[in-house]
Amino acid sequence: MEENQKKTVNTARLVREKMSDGDFELYLYSLKKLAENNYENNLTFMTNLYNIRAFQVKAQEEMLENPDMKFAIIVLDFANFNTINEFCGRDVGDGLLKCVADALRCEAEGKDHTVLAHFRADVFAVFTPFEDKSELIEIVNHTDKRIAAYKIPYKVLPAFGICIADSPTMAVSTMRDYAMLALNTIKGKFYAKYAFFDDEMRKQMLLNKMVENDIIKALEEEQLLPFIQPKVDMKSGEIVGGEALVRWHHPEKGIVMPMKFIPVLEKNGLIIDVDICIWRQIFKFIGNRIAAGEKVVPISINISRQHVFDSVFRDCIIDFSKEFHVPPELVVLELTESGFLEDNEKMYDHLRYLKEQGFALSMDDFGTGYSTMTMLKNQPMDEIKIDRGFIVDIENPKSQSILSHTINMLQDLDLNIIVEGVENAAQQEYLLKYGCNKAQGFLYYKPMPMEEFATLLDKA
Ligand code: C2E
Ligand code: CA
Ligand code: CA
């Protein structure tokens, strides 16, 4: 047997003993593909660096053969490579990629166990042994400097993601995914050049996986329930409305808060199903109370920005209002300010239509977005919810000035105003002084199960 072949057989044995079945299968597949091709086919044409498959096999071999060494993967990607191609031409873009490859080769020079790759387009990787984290940061800094020295009439923005192997049997493909995850947290941000895949990201990733795996079942088994947080008139203490806030009653994890799962669902689109599930329960709740002749107040529902571009949400809200015999005046549609960033005519049509039907529109998180002032001029809003950011440091005279002028301006525009996140008496005092009477916050009530809210209304 040739020396090389022997080595591969040895490594394969090592891999089989130490890897999980899934990782082992992936490894075998890569190995097979590698064997099918000759050496040239395993290099990326433009830069002569390994392609992703060859990189995985070579790097895995290094790890398994050197179990006492520490290894890491650094991936590199540009936030704006397409723009560079467009602005400066493909030749310049290609030149930049070659410059990256050369920079990486410089880093690898004279070092054993290092494997370089050009995965695709503008994505590169370095697999390297190290002793101290600072060596990895040094590789990043050197490479960044060499890239910056490639003079083109455009600011290039490379970002680096780093994953350190947690064991000699960790799959290189997993390391690569984690490094990419770390990279994506900083891509395009001027202030950060590199990010390590850390425990926080690992936790977030596990949570995201849990959400993705469990959410369909949660929808089927009605684990998603609205809590309602009362809105109050600060002068009289009267409950003038409520906001529906989703809570996930997870069979193992207990109550999961929305910020833990909504961001994932906004990415995979399932927020639409979750919203509809909450809206339905709220319409039903109001409808039942009306039918029983009990007291009702308008309840706000949150409308994720995913919805506003198609008409399904509009029809859905109108259908629920008919099905449960709920007059539109009793449901307020809360849309976050950032939902209006894309100036989309269709979206405005849907909102105007709903408004014509009698639903009130409320702009949530006012003051946290970018183009707030223009939006106020153009949007068909009825209510503005001032974000708690305006009142957290109310003792600060600058905050007071911003708050009082904001309230004045909104009153001038004839908009209903409510402030959220009121937690203490000082905040309430300032708000009343500036002429804002409606609030929502822990000072009055926390979000509560629907039944509790019902009891509260019954007592009122
Ligand atoms: P949001 O719409 O701005 O809702 C207000 C959030 O502020 C709620 O958090 C509420 O519990 C919290 N809050 C209320 N009063 C206070 C206070 O005095 N102090 C502080 N610190 N917080 C207060 P929650 O329930 O965790 O919801 C977080 C966000 O999740 C919501 O922010 C909303 O953007 C989203 N969300 C909640 N339910 C739904 C839903 O059914 N659909 C959609 N699309 N998004 C939802
Ligand atoms: Ca809201
Ligand atoms: Ca809000």
Side-chain angles (χ1 to χ4, degrees), residues 15-54:
V15 174
R16 174 63 292 202
E17 282 167 13
K18 296 190 172 169
M19 263 191 182
S20 71
D21 287 352
D23 288 342
F24 182 63
E25 241 170 62
L26 202 69
Y27 176 79
L28 276 189
Y29 175 79
S30 302
L31 207 60
K32 186 164 150 267
K33 285 286 168 199
L34 202 62
E36 281 167 14
N37 294 307
N38 57 30
Y39 178 73
E40 282 76 25
N41 283 348
N42 290 310
L43 299 176
T44 302
F45 172 68
M46 185 191 305
T47 51
N48 264 343
L49 297 181
Y50 279 130
N51 64 20
I52 195 164
R53 220 160 38 217

mmCIF file of all heavy atoms in Angstrom, residues 15-54:
data_model
loop_
_atom_site.group_PDB
_atom_site.id
_atom_site.type_symbol
_atom_site.label_atom_id
_atom_site.label_comp_id
_atom_site.label_asym_id
_atom_site.label_seq_id
_atom_site.Cartn_x
_atom_site.Cartn_y
_atom_site.Cartn_z
ATOM 1 N N VAL A 15 -11.459 8.008 12.562
ATOM 2 C CA VAL A 15 -12.694 8.770 12.447
ATOM 3 C C VAL A 15 -13.877 7.918 12.858
ATOM 4 O O VAL A 15 -14.745 8.333 13.620
ATOM 5 C CB VAL A 15 -12.874 9.245 10.975
ATOM 6 C CG1 VAL A 15 -14.214 9.916 10.804
ATOM 7 C CG2 VAL A 15 -11.766 10.191 10.590
ATOM 8 N N ARG A 16 -13.893 6.658 12.344
ATOM 9 C CA ARG A 16 -15.012 5.756 12.629
ATOM 10 C C ARG A 16 -15.164 5.542 14.139
ATOM 11 O O ARG A 16 -16.239 5.544 14.700
ATOM 12 C CB ARG A 16 -14.766 4.424 11.902
ATOM 13 C CG ARG A 16 -15.740 3.296 12.165
ATOM 14 C CD ARG A 16 -17.165 3.553 11.744
ATOM 15 N NE ARG A 16 -17.880 4.575 12.505
ATOM 16 C CZ ARG A 16 -19.171 4.679 12.591
ATOM 17 N NH1 ARG A 16 -19.945 3.860 11.935
ATOM 18 N NH2 ARG A 16 -19.748 5.628 13.308
ATOM 19 N N GLU A 17 -14.025 5.399 14.806
ATOM 20 C CA GLU A 17 -14.081 5.120 16.240
ATOM 21 C C GLU A 17 -14.615 6.312 17.027
ATOM 22 O O GLU A 17 -15.313 6.157 18.008
ATOM 23 C CB GLU A 17 -12.676 4.787 16.761
ATOM 24 C CG GLU A 17 -12.252 3.363 16.416
ATOM 25 C CD GLU A 17 -10.752 3.186 16.654
ATOM 26 O OE1 GLU A 17 -10.116 4.056 17.309
ATOM 27 O OE2 GLU A 17 -10.235 2.186 16.179
ATOM 28 N N LYS A 18 -14.263 7.492 16.535
ATOM 29 C CA LYS A 18 -14.480 8.643 17.405
ATOM 30 C C LYS A 18 -15.655 9.539 17.031
ATOM 31 O O LYS A 18 -16.081 10.371 17.816
ATOM 32 C CB LYS A 18 -13.204 9.494 17.438
ATOM 33 C CG LYS A 18 -12.056 8.736 18.057
ATOM 34 C CD LYS A 18 -10.886 9.618 18.308
ATOM 35 C CE LYS A 18 -9.823 8.861 19.113
ATOM 36 N NZ LYS A 18 -8.586 9.541 19.189
ATOM 37 N N MET A 19 -16.154 9.375 15.813
ATOM 38 C CA MET A 19 -17.184 10.328 15.381
ATOM 39 C C MET A 19 -18.586 9.779 15.514
ATOM 40 O O MET A 19 -18.801 8.579 15.492
ATOM 41 C CB MET A 19 -16.957 10.660 13.915
ATOM 42 C CG MET A 19 -16.194 11.903 13.724
ATOM 43 S SD MET A 19 -16.303 12.316 12.001
ATOM 44 C CE MET A 19 -15.292 13.737 12.030
ATOM 45 N N SER A 20 -19.546 10.689 15.587
ATOM 46 C CA SER A 20 -20.950 10.268 15.595
ATOM 47 C C SER A 20 -21.280 9.735 14.202
ATOM 48 O O SER A 20 -20.581 10.023 13.239
ATOM 49 C CB SER A 20 -21.847 11.458 15.901
ATOM 50 O OG SER A 20 -21.863 12.334 14.797
ATOM 51 N N ASP A 21 -22.379 8.961 14.094
ATOM 52 C CA ASP A 21 -22.728 8.342 12.813
ATOM 53 C C ASP A 21 -22.927 9.386 11.722
ATOM 54 O O ASP A 21 -22.453 9.250 10.610
ATOM 55 C CB ASP A 21 -24.010 7.510 12.960
ATOM 56 C CG ASP A 21 -23.720 6.229 13.730
ATOM 57 O OD1 ASP A 21 -22.524 5.967 13.982
ATOM 58 O OD2 ASP A 21 -24.681 5.523 14.071
ATOM 59 N N GLY A 22 -23.640 10.455 12.057
ATOM 60 C CA GLY A 22 -23.947 11.497 11.065
ATOM 61 C C GLY A 22 -22.677 12.140 10.541
ATOM 62 O O GLY A 22 -22.473 12.261 9.329
ATOM 63 N N ASP A 23 -21.790 12.505 11.455
ATOM 64 C CA ASP A 23 -20.550 13.161 11.051
ATOM 65 C C ASP A 23 -19.687 12.206 10.233
ATOM 66 O O ASP A 23 -19.032 12.596 9.275
ATOM 67 C CB ASP A 23 -19.756 13.631 12.288
ATOM 68 C CG ASP A 23 -20.425 14.819 12.944
ATOM 69 O OD1 ASP A 23 -21.257 15.454 12.273
ATOM 70 O OD2 ASP A 23 -20.124 15.096 14.116
ATOM 71 N N PHE A 24 -19.708 10.932 10.636
ATOM 72 C CA PHE A 24 -18.900 9.944 9.938
ATOM 73 C C PHE A 24 -19.378 9.784 8.491
ATOM 74 O O PHE A 24 -18.590 9.720 7.560
ATOM 75 C CB PHE A 24 -18.962 8.598 10.662
ATOM 76 C CG PHE A 24 -18.105 7.536 10.022
ATOM 77 C CD1 PHE A 24 -16.728 7.696 9.969
ATOM 78 C CD2 PHE A 24 -18.662 6.397 9.463
ATOM 79 C CE1 PHE A 24 -15.921 6.726 9.367
ATOM 80 C CE2 PHE A 24 -17.865 5.422 8.872
ATOM 81 C CZ PHE A 24 -16.489 5.588 8.822
ATOM 82 N N GLU A 25 -20.696 9.757 8.307
ATOM 83 C CA GLU A 25 -21.259 9.624 6.970
ATOM 84 C C GLU A 25 -20.819 10.788 6.087
ATOM 85 O O GLU A 25 -20.435 10.623 4.939
ATOM 86 C CB GLU A 25 -22.780 9.630 7.069
ATOM 87 C CG GLU A 25 -23.395 8.348 6.540
ATOM 88 C CD GLU A 25 -24.856 8.283 6.874
ATOM 89 O OE1 GLU A 25 -25.587 9.161 6.401
ATOM 90 O OE2 GLU A 25 -25.234 7.384 7.645
ATOM 91 N N LEU A 26 -20.882 11.972 6.662
ATOM 92 C CA LEU A 26 -20.488 13.176 5.934
ATOM 93 C C LEU A 26 -19.015 13.091 5.530
ATOM 94 O O LEU A 26 -18.619 13.425 4.417
ATOM 95 C CB LEU A 26 -20.708 14.382 6.852
ATOM 96 C CG LEU A 26 -20.859 15.725 6.180
ATOM 97 C CD1 LEU A 26 -22.183 15.756 5.417
ATOM 98 C CD2 LEU A 26 -20.873 16.831 7.236
ATOM 99 N N TYR A 27 -18.225 12.592 6.463
ATOM 100 C CA TYR A 27 -16.793 12.467 6.223
ATOM 101 C C TYR A 27 -16.533 11.482 5.075
ATOM 102 O O TYR A 27 -15.767 11.755 4.162
ATOM 103 C CB TYR A 27 -16.091 12.015 7.504
ATOM 104 C CG TYR A 27 -14.612 11.771 7.327
ATOM 105 C CD1 TYR A 27 -13.727 12.845 7.310
ATOM 106 C CD2 TYR A 27 -14.113 10.488 7.173
ATOM 107 C CE1 TYR A 27 -12.366 12.630 7.134
ATOM 108 C CE2 TYR A 27 -12.764 10.268 6.998
ATOM 109 C CZ TYR A 27 -11.890 11.340 6.985
ATOM 110 O OH TYR A 27 -10.563 11.132 6.807
ATOM 111 N N LEU A 28 -17.226 10.326 5.127
ATOM 112 C CA LEU A 28 -17.047 9.308 4.082
ATOM 113 C C LEU A 28 -17.435 9.859 2.722
ATOM 114 O O LEU A 28 -16.767 9.632 1.715
ATOM 115 C CB LEU A 28 -17.925 8.085 4.391
ATOM 116 C CG LEU A 28 -17.343 7.057 5.342
ATOM 117 C CD1 LEU A 28 -18.240 5.820 5.344
ATOM 118 C CD2 LEU A 28 -15.922 6.665 4.949
ATOM 119 N N TYR A 29 -18.528 10.621 2.711
ATOM 120 C CA TYR A 29 -19.013 11.190 1.461
ATOM 121 C C TYR A 29 -17.952 12.122 0.863
ATOM 122 O O TYR A 29 -17.605 12.038 -0.311
ATOM 123 C CB TYR A 29 -20.310 11.954 1.707
ATOM 124 C CG TYR A 29 -20.809 12.684 0.484
ATOM 125 C CD1 TYR A 29 -21.490 11.997 -0.527
ATOM 126 C CD2 TYR A 29 -20.594 14.051 0.343
ATOM 127 C CE1 TYR A 29 -21.924 12.662 -1.655
ATOM 128 C CE2 TYR A 29 -21.029 14.723 -0.785
ATOM 129 C CZ TYR A 29 -21.697 14.020 -1.787
ATOM 130 O OH TYR A 29 -22.113 14.689 -2.894
ATOM 131 N N SER A 30 -17.397 12.963 1.722
ATOM 132 C CA SER A 30 -16.378 13.897 1.253
ATOM 133 C C SER A 30 -15.170 13.143 0.721
ATOM 134 O O SER A 30 -14.599 13.494 -0.300
ATOM 135 C CB SER A 30 -15.918 14.811 2.389
ATOM 136 O OG SER A 30 -16.998 15.491 2.907
ATOM 137 N N LEU A 31 -14.811 12.072 1.446
ATOM 138 C CA LEU A 31 -13.646 11.282 1.068
ATOM 139 C C LEU A 31 -13.857 10.652 -0.309
ATOM 140 O O LEU A 31 -12.980 10.661 -1.169
ATOM 141 C CB LEU A 31 -13.454 10.192 2.120
ATOM 142 C CG LEU A 31 -12.047 9.675 2.327
ATOM 143 C CD1 LEU A 31 -11.130 10.794 2.745
ATOM 144 C CD2 LEU A 31 -12.043 8.579 3.394
ATOM 145 N N LYS A 32 -15.074 10.131 -0.521
ATOM 146 C CA LYS A 32 -15.407 9.474 -1.779
ATOM 147 C C LYS A 32 -15.308 10.489 -2.913
ATOM 148 O O LYS A 32 -14.709 10.238 -3.949
ATOM 149 C CB LYS A 32 -16.825 8.914 -1.665
ATOM 150 C CG LYS A 32 -17.250 8.097 -2.843
ATOM 151 C CD LYS A 32 -18.492 7.261 -2.484
ATOM 152 C CE LYS A 32 -19.345 7.033 -3.710
ATOM 153 N NZ LYS A 32 -20.390 8.010 -3.891
ATOM 154 N N LYS A 33 -15.905 11.649 -2.686
ATOM 155 C CA LYS A 33 -15.890 12.694 -3.713
ATOM 156 C C LYS A 33 -14.455 13.106 -4.029
ATOM 157 O O LYS A 33 -14.098 13.362 -5.170
ATOM 158 C CB LYS A 33 -16.672 13.917 -3.240
ATOM 159 C CG LYS A 33 -18.163 13.713 -3.290
ATOM 160 C CD LYS A 33 -18.623 13.771 -4.722
ATOM 161 C CE LYS A 33 -20.045 13.282 -4.871
ATOM 162 N NZ LYS A 33 -20.369 12.904 -6.229
ATOM 163 N N LEU A 34 -13.671 13.143 -2.978
ATOM 164 C CA LEU A 34 -12.285 13.553 -3.141
ATOM 165 C C LEU A 34 -11.539 12.542 -4.016
ATOM 166 O O LEU A 34 -10.782 12.894 -4.909
ATOM 167 C CB LEU A 34 -11.636 13.632 -1.760
ATOM 168 C CG LEU A 34 -10.414 14.510 -1.632
ATOM 169 C CD1 LEU A 34 -10.760 15.942 -1.944
ATOM 170 C CD2 LEU A 34 -9.882 14.421 -0.200
ATOM 171 N N ALA A 35 -11.820 11.249 -3.753
ATOM 172 C CA ALA A 35 -11.145 10.199 -4.504
ATOM 173 C C ALA A 35 -11.577 10.207 -5.968
ATOM 174 O O ALA A 35 -10.804 9.867 -6.861
ATOM 175 C CB ALA A 35 -11.455 8.854 -3.870
ATOM 176 N N GLU A 36 -12.803 10.604 -6.225
ATOM 177 C CA GLU A 36 -13.304 10.626 -7.598
ATOM 178 C C GLU A 36 -12.592 11.672 -8.452
ATOM 179 O O GLU A 36 -12.542 11.584 -9.655
ATOM 180 C CB GLU A 36 -14.810 10.953 -7.592
ATOM 181 C CG GLU A 36 -15.671 9.757 -7.245
ATOM 182 C CD GLU A 36 -17.092 10.192 -6.944
ATOM 183 O OE1 GLU A 36 -17.450 11.346 -7.259
ATOM 184 O OE2 GLU A 36 -17.823 9.383 -6.381
ATOM 185 N N ASN A 37 -12.111 12.676 -7.789
ATOM 186 C CA ASN A 37 -11.477 13.777 -8.520
ATOM 187 C C ASN A 37 -9.970 13.702 -8.388
ATOM 188 O O ASN A 37 -9.449 13.148 -7.432
ATOM 189 C CB ASN A 37 -11.932 15.102 -7.918
ATOM 190 C CG ASN A 37 -13.402 15.309 -8.137
ATOM 191 O OD1 ASN A 37 -13.880 15.231 -9.254
ATOM 192 N ND2 ASN A 37 -14.134 15.547 -7.063
ATOM 193 N N ASN A 38 -9.284 14.277 -9.350
ATOM 194 C CA ASN A 38 -7.851 14.370 -9.160
ATOM 195 C C ASN A 38 -7.533 15.636 -8.375
ATOM 196 O O ASN A 38 -8.414 16.433 -8.064
ATOM 197 C CB ASN A 38 -7.105 14.327 -10.490
ATOM 198 C CG ASN A 38 -7.579 15.432 -11.407
ATOM 199 O OD1 ASN A 38 -7.987 16.478 -10.939
ATOM 200 N ND2 ASN A 38 -7.549 15.176 -12.692
ATOM 201 N N TYR A 39 -6.298 15.824 -8.090
ATOM 202 C CA TYR A 39 -5.883 16.924 -7.216
ATOM 203 C C TYR A 39 -6.385 18.279 -7.706
ATOM 204 O O TYR A 39 -6.970 19.057 -6.951
ATOM 205 C CB TYR A 39 -4.357 16.925 -7.121
ATOM 206 C CG TYR A 39 -3.806 18.046 -6.275
ATOM 207 C CD1 TYR A 39 -3.925 18.009 -4.889
ATOM 208 C CD2 TYR A 39 -3.189 19.142 -6.864
ATOM 209 C CE1 TYR A 39 -3.435 19.038 -4.111
ATOM 210 C CE2 TYR A 39 -2.689 20.169 -6.096
ATOM 211 C CZ TYR A 39 -2.809 20.116 -4.716
ATOM 212 O OH TYR A 39 -2.330 21.136 -3.947
ATOM 213 N N GLU A 40 -6.239 18.539 -9.013
ATOM 214 C CA GLU A 40 -6.617 19.858 -9.539
ATOM 215 C C GLU A 40 -8.094 20.150 -9.286
ATOM 216 O O GLU A 40 -8.485 21.270 -9.035
ATOM 217 C CB GLU A 40 -6.345 19.964 -11.049
ATOM 218 C CG GLU A 40 -4.887 20.199 -11.407
ATOM 219 C CD GLU A 40 -4.081 18.924 -11.265
ATOM 220 O OE1 GLU A 40 -4.676 17.840 -11.374
ATOM 221 O OE2 GLU A 40 -2.871 19.010 -11.006
ATOM 222 N N ASN A 41 -8.882 19.083 -9.408
ATOM 223 C CA ASN A 41 -10.319 19.297 -9.232
ATOM 224 C C ASN A 41 -10.704 19.671 -7.814
ATOM 225 O O ASN A 41 -11.822 20.068 -7.543
ATOM 226 C CB ASN A 41 -11.092 18.044 -9.640
ATOM 227 C CG ASN A 41 -11.166 17.947 -11.142
ATOM 228 O OD1 ASN A 41 -10.835 18.908 -11.832
ATOM 229 N ND2 ASN A 41 -11.553 16.799 -11.641
ATOM 230 N N ASN A 42 -9.769 19.492 -6.905
ATOM 231 C CA ASN A 42 -10.072 19.839 -5.527
ATOM 232 C C ASN A 42 -9.599 21.238 -5.158
ATOM 233 O O ASN A 42 -9.662 21.646 -4.012
ATOM 234 C CB ASN A 42 -9.448 18.817 -4.578
ATOM 235 C CG ASN A 42 -10.172 17.502 -4.699
ATOM 236 O OD1 ASN A 42 -11.388 17.475 -4.633
ATOM 237 N ND2 ASN A 42 -9.434 16.444 -4.940
ATOM 238 N N LEU A 43 -9.120 21.942 -6.152
ATOM 239 C CA LEU A 43 -8.687 23.308 -5.901
ATOM 240 C C LEU A 43 -9.692 24.259 -6.538
ATOM 241 O O LEU A 43 -10.281 23.941 -7.568
ATOM 242 C CB LEU A 43 -7.307 23.550 -6.521
ATOM 243 C CG LEU A 43 -6.180 22.673 -5.980
ATOM 244 C CD1 LEU A 43 -4.894 22.941 -6.742
ATOM 245 C CD2 LEU A 43 -5.973 22.926 -4.492
ATOM 246 N N THR A 44 -9.862 25.397 -5.915
ATOM 247 C CA THR A 44 -10.724 26.395 -6.532
ATOM 248 C C THR A 44 -9.920 27.060 -7.632
ATOM 249 O O THR A 44 -8.772 27.481 -7.418
ATOM 250 C CB THR A 44 -11.184 27.408 -5.478
ATOM 251 O OG1 THR A 44 -11.853 26.678 -4.456
ATOM 252 C CG2 THR A 44 -12.139 28.426 -6.074
ATOM 253 N N PHE A 45 -10.511 27.118 -8.802
ATOM 254 C CA PHE A 45 -9.784 27.499 -10.013
ATOM 255 C C PHE A 45 -9.004 28.817 -9.847
ATOM 256 O O PHE A 45 -7.805 28.860 -10.063
ATOM 257 C CB PHE A 45 -10.787 27.598 -11.163
ATOM 258 C CG PHE A 45 -10.194 28.156 -12.407
ATOM 259 C CD1 PHE A 45 -9.239 27.425 -13.120
ATOM 260 C CD2 PHE A 45 -10.575 29.410 -12.874
ATOM 261 C CE1 PHE A 45 -8.680 27.943 -14.274
ATOM 262 C CE2 PHE A 45 -10.012 29.932 -14.026
ATOM 263 C CZ PHE A 45 -9.063 29.186 -14.734
ATOM 264 N N MET A 46 -9.669 29.846 -9.407
ATOM 265 C CA MET A 46 -9.031 31.163 -9.453
ATOM 266 C C MET A 46 -7.855 31.315 -8.488
ATOM 267 O O MET A 46 -6.857 31.948 -8.800
ATOM 268 C CB MET A 46 -10.088 32.212 -9.129
ATOM 269 C CG MET A 46 -9.562 33.624 -9.258
ATOM 270 S SD MET A 46 -10.738 34.749 -8.569
ATOM 271 C CE MET A 46 -12.208 34.348 -9.472
ATOM 272 N N THR A 47 -7.979 30.708 -7.318
ATOM 273 C CA THR A 47 -6.994 30.984 -6.277
ATOM 274 C C THR A 47 -6.074 29.811 -5.960
ATOM 275 O O THR A 47 -5.137 29.953 -5.168
ATOM 276 C CB THR A 47 -7.729 31.379 -4.977
ATOM 277 O OG1 THR A 47 -8.715 30.381 -4.727
ATOM 278 C CG2 THR A 47 -8.355 32.746 -5.096
ATOM 279 N N ASN A 48 -6.359 28.642 -6.547
ATOM 280 C CA ASN A 48 -5.556 27.460 -6.257
ATOM 281 C C ASN A 48 -5.570 27.057 -4.786
ATOM 282 O O ASN A 48 -4.614 26.460 -4.307
ATOM 283 C CB ASN A 48 -4.103 27.686 -6.682
ATOM 284 C CG ASN A 48 -3.880 27.103 -8.061
ATOM 285 O OD1 ASN A 48 -4.688 26.293 -8.527
ATOM 286 N ND2 ASN A 48 -2.824 27.523 -8.714
ATOM 287 N N LEU A 49 -6.598 27.418 -4.075
ATOM 288 C CA LEU A 49 -6.747 26.930 -2.692
ATOM 289 C C LEU A 49 -7.733 25.771 -2.718
ATOM 290 O O LEU A 49 -8.507 25.616 -3.657
ATOM 291 C CB LEU A 49 -7.294 28.037 -1.791
ATOM 292 C CG LEU A 49 -6.421 29.281 -1.618
ATOM 293 C CD1 LEU A 49 -7.097 30.269 -0.671
ATOM 294 C CD2 LEU A 49 -5.040 28.920 -1.091
ATOM 295 N N TYR A 50 -7.731 24.974 -1.648
ATOM 296 C CA TYR A 50 -8.655 23.835 -1.596
ATOM 297 C C TYR A 50 -10.098 24.289 -1.692
ATOM 298 O O TYR A 50 -10.459 25.355 -1.189
ATOM 299 C CB TYR A 50 -8.503 23.094 -0.260
ATOM 300 C CG TYR A 50 -7.334 22.142 -0.227
ATOM 301 C CD1 TYR A 50 -6.430 22.183 0.828
ATOM 302 C CD2 TYR A 50 -7.162 21.188 -1.233
ATOM 303 C CE1 TYR A 50 -5.362 21.311 0.876
ATOM 304 C CE2 TYR A 50 -6.094 20.311 -1.183
ATOM 305 C CZ TYR A 50 -5.196 20.382 -0.138
ATOM 306 O OH TYR A 50 -4.155 19.518 -0.091
ATOM 307 N N ASN A 51 -10.928 23.455 -2.303
ATOM 308 C CA ASN A 51 -12.367 23.718 -2.241
ATOM 309 C C ASN A 51 -12.899 23.164 -0.916
ATOM 310 O O ASN A 51 -12.156 22.560 -0.129
ATOM 311 C CB ASN A 51 -13.096 23.135 -3.457
ATOM 312 C CG ASN A 51 -12.999 21.617 -3.508
ATOM 313 O OD1 ASN A 51 -12.725 20.972 -2.494
ATOM 314 N ND2 ASN A 51 -13.187 21.052 -4.675
ATOM 315 N N ILE A 52 -14.178 23.359 -0.710
ATOM 316 C CA ILE A 52 -14.755 23.054 0.606
ATOM 317 C C ILE A 52 -14.607 21.578 0.985
ATOM 318 O O ILE A 52 -14.308 21.229 2.126
ATOM 319 C CB ILE A 52 -16.231 23.515 0.633
ATOM 320 C CG1 ILE A 52 -16.761 23.561 2.045
ATOM 321 C CG2 ILE A 52 -17.122 22.654 -0.226
ATOM 322 C CD1 ILE A 52 -18.039 24.366 2.166
ATOM 323 N N ARG A 53 -14.766 20.704 -0.015
ATOM 324 C CA ARG A 53 -14.725 19.261 0.254
ATOM 325 C C ARG A 53 -13.326 18.818 0.670
ATOM 326 O O ARG A 53 -13.130 18.161 1.688
ATOM 327 C CB ARG A 53 -15.133 18.533 -1.023
ATOM 328 C CG ARG A 53 -16.009 17.363 -0.800
ATOM 329 C CD ARG A 53 -16.739 16.993 -2.055
ATOM 330 N NE ARG A 53 -15.926 17.143 -3.247
ATOM 331 C CZ ARG A 53 -16.381 17.572 -4.417
ATOM 332 N NH1 ARG A 53 -17.628 17.910 -4.541
ATOM 333 N NH2 ARG A 53 -15.590 17.664 -5.473
ATOM 334 N N ALA A 54 -12.357 19.235 -0.143
ATOM 335 C CA ALA A 54 -10.980 18.849 0.150
ATOM 336 C C ALA A 54 -10.559 19.429 1.493
ATOM 337 O O ALA A 54 -9.900 18.773 2.302
ATOM 338 C CB ALA A 54 -10.067 19.360 -0.953
#
